[in-house]
Amino acid sequence: MKNEDLLKAIGKIDEKYLIEAQERTTKKAITEESIVMGVEVVKERKIKKIIGKITAAAAAVALIGGTAVFIGKEHFTDKNNISTSVSDKELIIRLENKMSETELARVSKHGLTLLDDPEEITEPETFSPELTEHKVYVEFHTRTTDEMLSEIEGMRDKMSDKDYEQALDVIRRSNESGKDFRIPVYILVDGKICQHSSPYFFPNYDGGEISFTQTTTITNSDGKITHNDEELSFANMEEYFDWIREQDKEAGLTEKEIERDILNLTIANEAIKNGTYEEIPEGTVDINDSSLYIKSTEEDYRHVWEYDRESVEEIKDFIEEINIYDEELDTEFLVHVTLPPNYDENKTYPVFFLTDGVWRFGNHPELRKLMENNEADETILVSLGYNYHIDGTHEYNRFNDLVVRRDKLLDFITDNLMPYLGENYNIDYTNSTLYGHSDGGVFTHNALFKSDMYENQPFGNYIIGSPALWGLYNYNESIDNDSEDCKNDYGYFDRNEKLDKSVFLCAGALEDPDYADNYNGHDTTLEGVAKLNERLESHGANVTYKLYDSHHYQFIPEMLCEVLKTYYPA
């Protein structure tokens, strides 16, 4: 089908708009079968740019009675018309997932663990000795005989005489063979470093007796280094494991951690013996990454999450947790996904996306209750927080990601997280909502007015709550000094005539005194919100502006319920 034929099939369009639409689409290769980016659709005599992936066949029938039909209440007149024209599946807009292989490999999707006692938490995976269920990786370091000799000499003061002579003997024999050294340095089982060596990497080990020298290095108070050598010998693997258990216990591992360590070494032994492990490049393992160790030295911050335990327990079977890492931010986030009461994987649902998951996950039960009581239509509730080893309430963490690094966070949500969610749930992106408050309001304001810079369009609605825009002035040494760009809404209306998103702008009418010491002569929170509303109205934006009888954050639960019922009426 040619471009002109496709546009004519969309509906009866007068010549002026047909020419304008055709000029925009002639640069794109649109065919009936292909998936295209940036499909242009005419809606009520307006050219509306819908960024995403949609079949050209769906575009051809997207105008019903002169009105564009897309999933999402804002883009169609009559929901019933959809079933008579084109299936939901054809109309679903897909986003391009731009996650790297490393990021994809680190995603973990599992049930709710927030309610677990940190002292009794086990890994989401099920562990058993069968090798086929596990991944074993070994990082080898390759050295020439000269390099090995240099390293041995450099470590001489840390080695016993016996170990030193044995090392020199190995180097001499290797030199005679002409082969470089390949030293197994790290063994990883299911992403965890084995704490102890596998005898199957020992020279001439036949599965029986295990012998080696353990050297303990001691630094005295006067700085003198001494070495204590102990010859160790075990009749079999079980005796070796018993010794490991004692070592792990002295190191402070729990009983469960000790048995996990033994199990990992059992799995590694089988892989090494059978040659079924995978090699990873030298330098892959970062020994400073505490997540690689069975015993984590990081604090668990589940205790700072704010929620009603009883309410969460009632719906925990409908909640999924996703640990997802972003390379650009070098941060692992935790996403909570709460499915609606009558969730059907064959249907599409808008996402109600909340930042500051450490606080806003606690609103999931009440918001879902509105759906149960038929006070709001069914949506997928999503909250974004940090993993349990990062304090999401700490102002530095929030400000650093929601304000200082807000562009990178926007990249992550737009091109990684939301596309990933779309691969696991059928999402109505055009009618999905992004919420942020305070520093999160700064982020959501940024996300709204830079949304036109992305091919992926995951949200049609934005909630900007009490944006602390004054913080851009107070901390502009950390931020590229873009506070003035913020006042100009990042030049959005210099690039675009209209804003094709819905905005709910809100704050607490009593909140200005809450941060009086932070304004430093710049607009207060309420002054900034009022000016933003004026700018939006002057450009004819679809904006709702409301002040609540509240201080800075107390109105949030009421507001979220109100917006959910308004944006998604039952």
Side-chain angles (χ1 to χ4, degrees):
M1 180 180 290
K2 296 179 180 179
N3 292 340
E4 185 176 357
D5 294 333
L6 175 63
L7 290 170
K8 287 181 179 179
I10 290 176
K12 294 182 178 180
I13 310 170
D14 62 40
E15 184 176 358
K16 173 183 176 183
Y17 288 98
L18 176 59
I19 292 173
E20 182 179 359
Q22 188 174 20
E23 286 176 349
R24 293 191 179 207
T25 57
T26 50
K27 296 180 181 179
K28 300 178 176 67
I30 300 179
T31 66
E32 220 172 344
E33 296 80 11
S34 66
I35 304 293
V36 296
M37 280 293 205
V39 176
E40 302 293 329
V41 179
V42 177
K43 176 186 177 183
E44 296 176 349
R45 289 177 162 258
K46 296 177 182 178
I47 303 297
K48 189 174 182 75
K49 191 174 185 181
I50 307 298
I51 307 291
K53 295 182 178 180
I54 184 169
T55 61
V61 295
L63 206 79
I64 298 178
T67 302
V69 177
F70 280 88
I71 292 178
K73 68 178 179 63
E74 194 180 344
H75 301 289
F76 55 81
T77 303
D78 185 357
K79 291 183 179 180
N80 296 326
N81 285 341
I82 294 180
S83 61
T84 62
S85 59
V86 61
S87 69
D88 284 0
K89 183 176 290 188
E90 289 178 301
L91 284 175
I92 295 174
I93 294 177
R94 298 295 185 191
L95 306 186
E96 180 184 357
N97 191 336
K98 299 183 181 181
M99 295 173 69
S100 69
E101 291 184 7
T102 298
E103 291 168 334
L104 288 169
R106 291 187 58 169
V107 175
S108 172
K109 183 170 175 283
H110 48 84
L112 182 68
T113 65
L114 176 62
L115 303 179
D116 296 350
D117 184 344
E119 296 299 321
E120 300 178 358
I121 291 171
T122 58
E123 298 290 337
E125 302 93 344
T126 299
F127 296 99
S128 59
E130 289 76 15
L131 178 62
T132 54
E133 298 182 7
H134 303 277
K135 288 286 188 181
V136 178
Y137 299 94
V138 180
E139 179 179 321
F140 288 88
H141 289 186
T142 302
R143 299 289 186 270
T144 65
T145 54
D146 288 342
E147 289 172 335
M148 280 298 296
L149 184 59
S150 177
E151 289 187 15
I152 293 299
E153 292 298 338
M155 297 170 58
R156 178 64 184 92
D157 64 337
K158 299 179 181 179
M159 301 175 68
S160 66
D161 291 341
K162 181 178 179 180
D163 286 343
Y164 177 68
E165 289 301 325
Q166 286 180 341
L168 290 180
D169 183 59
V170 171
I171 291 173
R172 281 192 292 267
R173 285 187 279 113
S174 176
N175 191 40
E176 293 171 359
S177 69
K179 295 181 179 179
D180 290 338
F181 285 90
R182 295 186 73 250
I183 309 166
V185 179
Y186 302 114
I187 303 171
L188 285 83
V189 177
D190 297 325
K192 298 294 183 182
I193 294 176
C194 284
Q195 306 292 307
H196 302 276
S197 299
S198 169
Y200 286 94
F201 275 135
F202 294 175
N204 304 317
Y205 178 68
D206 60 5
E209 183 180 350
I210 303 169
S211 300
F212 58 90
T213 302
Q214 177 175 260
T215 302
T216 304
T217 302
I218 301 174
T219 303
N220 299 326
S221 57
D222 59 1
K224 184 179 180 180
I225 298 175
T226 59
H227 306 284
N228 294 331
D229 295 337
E230 182 180 5
E231 296 291 336
L232 298 176
S233 181
F234 308 99
N236 50 47
M237 191 68 70
E238 282 307 313
E239 284 192 9
Y240 180 45
F241 284 166
D242 287 341
W243 176 80
I244 288 176
R245 289 186 177 95
E246 291 300 319
Q247 298 294 305
D248 284 355
K249 187 175 182 180
E250 290 182 12
L253 272 67
T254 65
E255 289 298 323
K256 287 185 178 181
E257 290 169 340
I258 292 172
E259 291 312 308
R260 170 72 187 278
D261 192 22
I262 295 295
L263 178 56
N264 278 2
L265 188 53
T266 302
I267 294 167
N269 285 341
E270 288 299 309
I272 295 166
K273 180 173 65 174
N274 299 325
T276 52
Y277 59 87
E278 295 183 28
E279 293 188 23
I280 53 178
E282 182 173 339
T284 298
V285 175
D286 178 7
I287 61 173
N288 295 315
D289 183 353
S290 61
S291 68
L292 296 179
Y293 296 91
I294 291 174
K295 182 175 181 60
S296 175
T297 58
E298 296 177 320
E299 184 173 349
D300 192 293
Y301 287 99
R302 281 174 174 81
H303 64 280
V304 305
W305 285 62
E306 297 182 7
Y307 59 94
D308 179 71
R309 187 180 185 90
E310 183 177 347
S311 298
V312 171
E313 284 180 337
E314 290 179 0
I315 63 172
K316 66 179 181 179
D317 293 338
F318 301 94
I319 302 172
E320 294 178 329
E321 282 185 355
I322 301 171
N323 291 81
I324 182 167
Y325 172 75
D326 182 66
E327 283 186 299
E328 194 175 11
L329 292 166
D330 191 23
T331 301
E332 184 178 86
F333 295 94
L334 182 65
V335 179
H336 286 98
V337 178
T338 300
L339 301 176
N342 301 302
Y343 180 72
D344 182 346
E345 63 182 14
N346 296 312
K347 295 182 179 180
T348 59
Y349 299 87
V351 160
F352 201 59
F353 190 108
L354 311 174
T355 57
D356 279 324
V358 68
W359 295 310
R360 301 283 72 85
F361 170 72
N363 299 117
H364 284 215
E366 184 178 11
L367 294 171
R368 192 175 186 274
K369 183 68 70 175
L370 295 177
M371 304 177 208
E372 290 180 1
N373 296 338
N374 202 33
E375 296 179 63
D377 200 6
E378 298 202 333
T379 64
I380 297 175
L381 304 175
V382 173
S383 54
L384 175 66
Y386 297 104
N387 74 32
Y388 295 130
H389 296 301
I390 301 175
D391 184 357
T393 67
H394 197 288
E395 184 56 34
Y396 171 81
N397 293 329
R398 295 184 64 253
F399 184 79
N400 193 40
D401 288 328
L402 292 169
V403 180
V404 178
R405 305 197 295 177
R406 61 192 183 280
D407 286 337
K408 292 181 179 181
L409 182 62
L410 181 57
D411 289 345
F412 165 69
I413 292 175
T414 303
D415 289 336
N416 291 16
L417 177 54
M418 287 301 287
Y420 174 82
L421 293 177
E423 293 170 354
N424 289 271
Y425 314 94
N426 285 334
I427 295 177
D428 169 7
Y429 289 112
T430 60
N431 199 27
S432 290
T433 299
L434 174 65
Y435 153 90
H437 176 267
S438 193
D439 285 345
V442 176
F443 168 73
T444 308
H445 172 264
N446 182 74
L448 170 64
F449 290 112
K450 292 182 181 176
S451 61
D452 63 316
M453 299 180 178
Y454 292 84
E455 292 178 341
N456 285 341
Q457 293 289 297
F459 303 107
N461 312 308
Y462 292 76
I463 303 173
I464 303 175
S466 304
L469 301 176
W470 40 263
L472 294 171
Y473 293 93
N474 292 347
Y475 305 96
N476 59 17
E477 292 182 0
S478 316
I479 314 172
D480 270 349
N481 198 20
D482 58 0
S483 48
E484 293 303 315
D485 289 339
C486 172
K487 291 173 64 175
N488 187 37
D489 301 318
Y490 303 105
Y492 182 91
F493 291 110
D494 295 331
R495 302 186 301 271
N496 304 274
E497 293 183 5
K498 296 287 185 180
L499 177 66
D500 61 349
K501 311 288 185 180
S502 295
V503 183
F504 189 89
L505 185 60
C506 57
L510 309 176
E511 71 172 82
D512 265 358
D514 298 346
Y515 293 94
D517 294 337
N518 298 81
Y519 302 137
N520 295 322
H522 300 292
D523 288 340
T524 67
T525 303
L526 293 181
E527 289 170 344
V529 169
K531 290 181 179 179
L532 174 56
N533 179 59
E534 291 174 3
R535 294 196 301 272
L536 287 168
E537 288 185 341
S538 70
H539 290 284
N542 181 7
V543 58
T544 300
Y545 177 43
K546 182 170 182 177
L547 298 181
Y548 291 82
D549 185 20
S550 167
H551 284 270
H552 185 57
Y553 63 85
Q554 290 82 356
F555 68 92
I556 296 175
E558 174 191 349
M559 179 272 295
L560 291 176
C561 289
E562 177 183 341
V563 174
L564 188 74
K565 290 189 289 186
T566 301
Y567 276 13
Y568 310 107

PDB file of all heavy atoms in Angstrom, residues 496-522:
ATOM      1  N   ASN A 496       7.752  22.637  20.173  1.00  0.00           N
ATOM      2  CA  ASN A 496       6.411  22.104  19.889  1.00  0.00           C
ATOM      3  C   ASN A 496       5.357  23.194  20.054  1.00  0.00           C
ATOM      4  O   ASN A 496       5.475  24.054  20.927  1.00  0.00           O
ATOM      5  CB  ASN A 496       6.082  20.951  20.846  1.00  0.00           C
ATOM      6  CG  ASN A 496       7.108  19.840  20.810  1.00  0.00           C
ATOM      7  OD1 ASN A 496       7.051  18.936  19.988  1.00  0.00           O
ATOM      8  ND2 ASN A 496       8.076  19.898  21.732  1.00  0.00           N
ATOM      9  N   GLU A 497       4.324  23.130  19.243  1.00  0.00           N
ATOM     10  CA  GLU A 497       3.223  24.083  19.363  1.00  0.00           C
ATOM     11  C   GLU A 497       2.303  23.725  20.517  1.00  0.00           C
ATOM     12  O   GLU A 497       1.785  24.591  21.212  1.00  0.00           O
ATOM     13  CB  GLU A 497       2.430  24.137  18.053  1.00  0.00           C
ATOM     14  CG  GLU A 497       3.197  24.732  16.882  1.00  0.00           C
ATOM     15  CD  GLU A 497       2.337  24.836  15.642  1.00  0.00           C
ATOM     16  OE1 GLU A 497       1.125  24.532  15.736  1.00  0.00           O
ATOM     17  OE2 GLU A 497       2.856  25.216  14.582  1.00  0.00           O
ATOM     18  N   LYS A 498       2.064  22.435  20.693  1.00  0.00           N
ATOM     19  CA  LYS A 498       1.110  21.973  21.691  1.00  0.00           C
ATOM     20  C   LYS A 498       1.737  20.893  22.563  1.00  0.00           C
ATOM     21  O   LYS A 498       2.688  20.222  22.165  1.00  0.00           O
ATOM     22  CB  LYS A 498      -0.150  21.399  21.021  1.00  0.00           C
ATOM     23  CG  LYS A 498      -0.954  22.409  20.210  1.00  0.00           C
ATOM     24  CD  LYS A 498      -1.695  23.385  21.127  1.00  0.00           C
ATOM     25  CE  LYS A 498      -2.597  24.313  20.319  1.00  0.00           C
ATOM     26  NZ  LYS A 498      -3.327  25.259  21.202  1.00  0.00           N
ATOM     27  N   LEU A 499       1.177  20.728  23.760  1.00  0.00           N
ATOM     28  CA  LEU A 499       1.555  19.639  24.651  1.00  0.00           C
ATOM     29  C   LEU A 499       0.500  18.553  24.537  1.00  0.00           C
ATOM     30  O   LEU A 499      -0.678  18.783  24.849  1.00  0.00           O
ATOM     31  CB  LEU A 499       1.642  20.144  26.096  1.00  0.00           C
ATOM     32  CG  LEU A 499       1.973  19.095  27.169  1.00  0.00           C
ATOM     33  CD1 LEU A 499       3.385  18.556  26.978  1.00  0.00           C
ATOM     34  CD2 LEU A 499       1.813  19.685  28.570  1.00  0.00           C
ATOM     35  N   ASP A 500       0.904  17.379  24.065  1.00  0.00           N
ATOM     36  CA  ASP A 500      -0.075  16.317  23.836  1.00  0.00           C
ATOM     37  C   ASP A 500      -0.167  15.360  25.029  1.00  0.00           C
ATOM     38  O   ASP A 500      -0.406  14.174  24.858  1.00  0.00           O
ATOM     39  CB  ASP A 500       0.260  15.541  22.561  1.00  0.00           C
ATOM     40  CG  ASP A 500       1.616  14.864  22.625  1.00  0.00           C
ATOM     41  OD1 ASP A 500       2.376  15.166  23.559  1.00  0.00           O
ATOM     42  OD2 ASP A 500       1.906  14.036  21.740  1.00  0.00           O
ATOM     43  N   LYS A 501       0.012  15.874  26.236  1.00  0.00           N
ATOM     44  CA  LYS A 501      -0.092  15.087  27.460  1.00  0.00           C
ATOM     45  C   LYS A 501      -1.081  15.757  28.409  1.00  0.00           C
ATOM     46  O   LYS A 501      -1.320  16.957  28.321  1.00  0.00           O
ATOM     47  CB  LYS A 501       1.263  14.962  28.161  1.00  0.00           C
ATOM     48  CG  LYS A 501       2.431  14.545  27.273  1.00  0.00           C
ATOM     49  CD  LYS A 501       2.347  13.093  26.856  1.00  0.00           C
ATOM     50  CE  LYS A 501       3.593  12.703  26.066  1.00  0.00           C
ATOM     51  NZ  LYS A 501       3.546  11.281  25.635  1.00  0.00           N
ATOM     52  N   SER A 502      -1.633  14.975  29.335  1.00  0.00           N
ATOM     53  CA  SER A 502      -2.482  15.526  30.389  1.00  0.00           C
ATOM     54  C   SER A 502      -1.640  15.747  31.641  1.00  0.00           C
ATOM     55  O   SER A 502      -0.778  14.924  31.965  1.00  0.00           O
ATOM     56  CB  SER A 502      -3.631  14.564  30.710  1.00  0.00           C
ATOM     57  OG  SER A 502      -4.495  14.435  29.603  1.00  0.00           O
ATOM     58  N   VAL A 503      -1.911  16.838  32.351  1.00  0.00           N
ATOM     59  CA  VAL A 503      -1.105  17.191  33.520  1.00  0.00           C
ATOM     60  C   VAL A 503      -2.015  17.445  34.717  1.00  0.00           C
ATOM     61  O   VAL A 503      -2.998  18.185  34.617  1.00  0.00           O
ATOM     62  CB  VAL A 503      -0.258  18.452  33.253  1.00  0.00           C
ATOM     63  CG1 VAL A 503       0.619  18.753  34.475  1.00  0.00           C
ATOM     64  CG2 VAL A 503       0.590  18.282  32.003  1.00  0.00           C
ATOM     65  N   PHE A 504      -1.690  16.806  35.842  1.00  0.00           N
ATOM     66  CA  PHE A 504      -2.352  17.111  37.109  1.00  0.00           C
ATOM     67  C   PHE A 504      -1.311  17.773  37.985  1.00  0.00           C
ATOM     68  O   PHE A 504      -0.324  17.151  38.395  1.00  0.00           O
ATOM     69  CB  PHE A 504      -2.893  15.845  37.773  1.00  0.00           C
ATOM     70  CG  PHE A 504      -3.773  16.124  38.961  1.00  0.00           C
ATOM     71  CD1 PHE A 504      -5.140  16.311  38.804  1.00  0.00           C
ATOM     72  CD2 PHE A 504      -3.237  16.217  40.238  1.00  0.00           C
ATOM     73  CE1 PHE A 504      -5.961  16.578  39.901  1.00  0.00           C
ATOM     74  CE2 PHE A 504      -4.035  16.482  41.342  1.00  0.00           C
ATOM     75  CZ  PHE A 504      -5.399  16.661  41.171  1.00  0.00           C
ATOM     76  N   LEU A 505      -1.505  19.048  38.276  1.00  0.00           N
ATOM     77  CA  LEU A 505      -0.544  19.861  39.012  1.00  0.00           C
ATOM     78  C   LEU A 505      -1.125  20.157  40.383  1.00  0.00           C
ATOM     79  O   LEU A 505      -2.254  20.643  40.495  1.00  0.00           O
ATOM     80  CB  LEU A 505      -0.294  21.162  38.232  1.00  0.00           C
ATOM     81  CG  LEU A 505       0.766  22.127  38.737  1.00  0.00           C
ATOM     82  CD1 LEU A 505       2.136  21.463  38.784  1.00  0.00           C
ATOM     83  CD2 LEU A 505       0.802  23.356  37.829  1.00  0.00           C
ATOM     84  N   CYS A 506      -0.374  19.861  41.437  1.00  0.00           N
ATOM     85  CA  CYS A 506      -0.954  19.998  42.773  1.00  0.00           C
ATOM     86  C   CYS A 506       0.109  20.320  43.818  1.00  0.00           C
ATOM     87  O   CYS A 506       1.310  20.168  43.584  1.00  0.00           O
ATOM     88  CB  CYS A 506      -1.683  18.706  43.164  1.00  0.00           C
ATOM     89  SG  CYS A 506      -0.637  17.235  43.112  1.00  0.00           S
ATOM     90  N   ALA A 507      -0.367  20.767  44.970  1.00  0.00           N
ATOM     91  CA  ALA A 507       0.510  21.084  46.096  1.00  0.00           C
ATOM     92  C   ALA A 507      -0.357  21.246  47.333  1.00  0.00           C
ATOM     93  O   ALA A 507      -1.592  21.218  47.263  1.00  0.00           O
ATOM     94  CB  ALA A 507       1.308  22.360  45.824  1.00  0.00           C
ATOM     95  N   GLY A 508       0.304  21.414  48.484  1.00  0.00           N
ATOM     96  CA  GLY A 508      -0.417  21.686  49.723  1.00  0.00           C
ATOM     97  C   GLY A 508      -0.477  23.181  49.966  1.00  0.00           C
ATOM     98  O   GLY A 508       0.557  23.862  49.960  1.00  0.00           O
ATOM     99  N   ALA A 509      -1.657  23.696  50.181  1.00  0.00           N
ATOM    100  CA  ALA A 509      -1.822  25.143  50.327  1.00  0.00           C
ATOM    101  C   ALA A 509      -1.069  25.693  51.535  1.00  0.00           C
ATOM    102  O   ALA A 509      -0.786  26.894  51.600  1.00  0.00           O
ATOM    103  CB  ALA A 509      -3.312  25.472  50.453  1.00  0.00           C
ATOM    104  N   LEU A 510      -0.722  24.844  52.492  1.00  0.00           N
ATOM    105  CA  LEU A 510      -0.063  25.288  53.716  1.00  0.00           C
ATOM    106  C   LEU A 510       1.429  24.986  53.726  1.00  0.00           C
ATOM    107  O   LEU A 510       2.089  25.165  54.761  1.00  0.00           O
ATOM    108  CB  LEU A 510      -0.712  24.597  54.930  1.00  0.00           C
ATOM    109  CG  LEU A 510      -2.235  24.682  55.033  1.00  0.00           C
ATOM    110  CD1 LEU A 510      -2.731  23.880  56.228  1.00  0.00           C
ATOM    111  CD2 LEU A 510      -2.691  26.129  55.136  1.00  0.00           C
ATOM    112  N   GLU A 511       2.003  24.564  52.613  1.00  0.00           N
ATOM    113  CA  GLU A 511       3.354  24.002  52.665  1.00  0.00           C
ATOM    114  C   GLU A 511       4.502  25.003  52.537  1.00  0.00           C
ATOM    115  O   GLU A 511       5.642  24.665  52.866  1.00  0.00           O
ATOM    116  CB  GLU A 511       3.509  22.915  51.600  1.00  0.00           C
ATOM    117  CG  GLU A 511       3.563  23.374  50.165  1.00  0.00           C
ATOM    118  CD  GLU A 511       3.925  22.203  49.249  1.00  0.00           C
ATOM    119  OE1 GLU A 511       3.040  21.411  48.897  1.00  0.00           O
ATOM    120  OE2 GLU A 511       5.116  22.117  48.900  1.00  0.00           O
ATOM    121  N   ASP A 512       4.279  26.199  52.077  1.00  0.00           N
ATOM    122  CA  ASP A 512       5.401  27.116  51.863  1.00  0.00           C
ATOM    123  C   ASP A 512       6.279  27.323  53.101  1.00  0.00           C
ATOM    124  O   ASP A 512       7.512  27.339  52.993  1.00  0.00           O
ATOM    125  CB  ASP A 512       4.901  28.459  51.338  1.00  0.00           C
ATOM    126  CG  ASP A 512       4.976  28.522  49.810  1.00  0.00           C
ATOM    127  OD1 ASP A 512       5.444  27.530  49.202  1.00  0.00           O
ATOM    128  OD2 ASP A 512       4.575  29.546  49.231  1.00  0.00           O
ATOM    129  N   PRO A 513       5.691  27.478  54.295  1.00  0.00           N
ATOM    130  CA  PRO A 513       6.552  27.667  55.472  1.00  0.00           C
ATOM    131  C   PRO A 513       7.415  26.445  55.794  1.00  0.00           C
ATOM    132  O   PRO A 513       8.418  26.573  56.506  1.00  0.00           O
ATOM    133  CB  PRO A 513       5.548  27.935  56.598  1.00  0.00           C
ATOM    134  CG  PRO A 513       4.321  28.438  55.908  1.00  0.00           C
ATOM    135  CD  PRO A 513       4.269  27.680  54.612  1.00  0.00           C
ATOM    136  N   ASP A 514       7.038  25.265  55.266  1.00  0.00           N
ATOM    137  CA  ASP A 514       7.767  24.039  55.603  1.00  0.00           C
ATOM    138  C   ASP A 514       9.230  24.105  55.182  1.00  0.00           C
ATOM    139  O   ASP A 514      10.091  23.486  55.810  1.00  0.00           O
ATOM    140  CB  ASP A 514       7.102  22.821  54.945  1.00  0.00           C
ATOM    141  CG  ASP A 514       5.684  22.598  55.439  1.00  0.00           C
ATOM    142  OD1 ASP A 514       5.321  23.206  56.461  1.00  0.00           O
ATOM    143  OD2 ASP A 514       4.939  21.822  54.806  1.00  0.00           O
ATOM    144  N   TYR A 515       9.504  24.832  54.082  1.00  0.00           N
ATOM    145  CA  TYR A 515      10.877  24.902  53.564  1.00  0.00           C
ATOM    146  C   TYR A 515      11.323  26.351  53.395  1.00  0.00           C
ATOM    147  O   TYR A 515      12.079  26.671  52.476  1.00  0.00           O
ATOM    148  CB  TYR A 515      10.971  24.145  52.235  1.00  0.00           C
ATOM    149  CG  TYR A 515      10.774  22.663  52.391  1.00  0.00           C
ATOM    150  CD1 TYR A 515       9.516  22.088  52.225  1.00  0.00           C
ATOM    151  CD2 TYR A 515      11.833  21.841  52.744  1.00  0.00           C
ATOM    152  CE1 TYR A 515       9.327  20.734  52.397  1.00  0.00           C
ATOM    153  CE2 TYR A 515      11.659  20.477  52.913  1.00  0.00           C
ATOM    154  CZ  TYR A 515      10.392  19.922  52.744  1.00  0.00           C
ATOM    155  OH  TYR A 515      10.212  18.578  52.922  1.00  0.00           O
ATOM    156  N   ALA A 516      10.872  27.204  54.290  1.00  0.00           N
ATOM    157  CA  ALA A 516      11.156  28.640  54.174  1.00  0.00           C
ATOM    158  C   ALA A 516      12.650  28.937  54.135  1.00  0.00           C
ATOM    159  O   ALA A 516      13.086  29.898  53.487  1.00  0.00           O
ATOM    160  CB  ALA A 516      10.494  29.390  55.331  1.00  0.00           C
ATOM    161  N   ASP A 517      13.439  28.127  54.808  1.00  0.00           N
ATOM    162  CA  ASP A 517      14.882  28.381  54.864  1.00  0.00           C
ATOM    163  C   ASP A 517      15.600  27.978  53.580  1.00  0.00           C
ATOM    164  O   ASP A 517      16.804  28.256  53.443  1.00  0.00           O
ATOM    165  CB  ASP A 517      15.503  27.610  56.037  1.00  0.00           C
ATOM    166  CG  ASP A 517      15.013  28.117  57.388  1.00  0.00           C
ATOM    167  OD1 ASP A 517      14.572  29.280  57.452  1.00  0.00           O
ATOM    168  OD2 ASP A 517      15.064  27.343  58.371  1.00  0.00           O
ATOM    169  N   ASN A 518      14.892  27.345  52.659  1.00  0.00           N
ATOM    170  CA  ASN A 518      15.544  26.828  51.461  1.00  0.00           C
ATOM    171  C   ASN A 518      15.329  27.680  50.208  1.00  0.00           C
ATOM    172  O   ASN A 518      15.974  27.440  49.183  1.00  0.00           O
ATOM    173  CB  ASN A 518      15.045  25.403  51.157  1.00  0.00           C
ATOM    174  CG  ASN A 518      15.380  24.418  52.256  1.00  0.00           C
ATOM    175  OD1 ASN A 518      14.689  24.335  53.273  1.00  0.00           O
ATOM    176  ND2 ASN A 518      16.450  23.658  52.075  1.00  0.00           N
ATOM    177  N   TYR A 519      14.446  28.660  50.272  1.00  0.00           N
ATOM    178  CA  TYR A 519      14.089  29.392  49.046  1.00  0.00           C
ATOM    179  C   TYR A 519      15.172  30.381  48.621  1.00  0.00           C
ATOM    180  O   TYR A 519      15.387  30.604  47.430  1.00  0.00           O
ATOM    181  CB  TYR A 519      12.745  30.104  49.234  1.00  0.00           C
ATOM    182  CG  TYR A 519      11.616  29.168  49.575  1.00  0.00           C
ATOM    183  CD1 TYR A 519      10.677  29.493  50.567  1.00  0.00           C
ATOM    184  CD2 TYR A 519      11.481  27.949  48.934  1.00  0.00           C
ATOM    185  CE1 TYR A 519       9.641  28.630  50.888  1.00  0.00           C
ATOM    186  CE2 TYR A 519      10.447  27.071  49.252  1.00  0.00           C
ATOM    187  CZ  TYR A 519       9.532  27.416  50.233  1.00  0.00           C
ATOM    188  OH  TYR A 519       8.525  26.556  50.549  1.00  0.00           O
ATOM    189  N   ASN A 520      15.821  31.019  49.561  1.00  0.00           N
ATOM    190  CA  ASN A 520      16.933  31.934  49.265  1.00  0.00           C
ATOM    191  C   ASN A 520      16.602  32.983  48.204  1.00  0.00           C
ATOM    192  O   ASN A 520      17.383  33.251  47.288  1.00  0.00           O
ATOM    193  CB  ASN A 520      18.164  31.129  48.815  1.00  0.00           C
ATOM    194  CG  ASN A 520      18.699  30.241  49.924  1.00  0.00           C
ATOM    195  OD1 ASN A 520      18.703  30.636  51.086  1.00  0.00           O
ATOM    196  ND2 ASN A 520      19.132  29.044  49.565  1.00  0.00           N
ATOM    197  N   GLY A 521      15.408  33.548  48.325  1.00  0.00           N
ATOM    198  CA  GLY A 521      15.008  34.612  47.409  1.00  0.00           C
ATOM    199  C   GLY A 521      14.384  34.131  46.117  1.00  0.00           C
ATOM    200  O   GLY A 521      13.917  34.946  45.309  1.00  0.00           O
ATOM    201  N   HIS A 522      14.348  32.831  45.879  1.00  0.00           N
ATOM    202  CA  HIS A 522      13.737  32.288  44.662  1.00  0.00           C
ATOM    203  C   HIS A 522      12.273  31.950  44.926  1.00  0.00           C
ATOM    204  O   HIS A 522      11.787  32.063  46.054  1.00  0.00           O
ATOM    205  CB  HIS A 522      14.502  31.044  44.205  1.00  0.00           C
ATOM    206  CG  HIS A 522      15.939  31.312  43.893  1.00  0.00           C
ATOM    207  ND1 HIS A 522      16.329  32.070  42.822  1.00  0.00           N
ATOM    208  CD2 HIS A 522      17.083  30.947  44.530  1.00  0.00           C
ATOM    209  CE1 HIS A 522      17.653  32.157  42.795  1.00  0.00           C
ATOM    210  NE2 HIS A 522      18.128  31.490  43.826  1.00  0.00           N
TER     211      HIS A 522
END
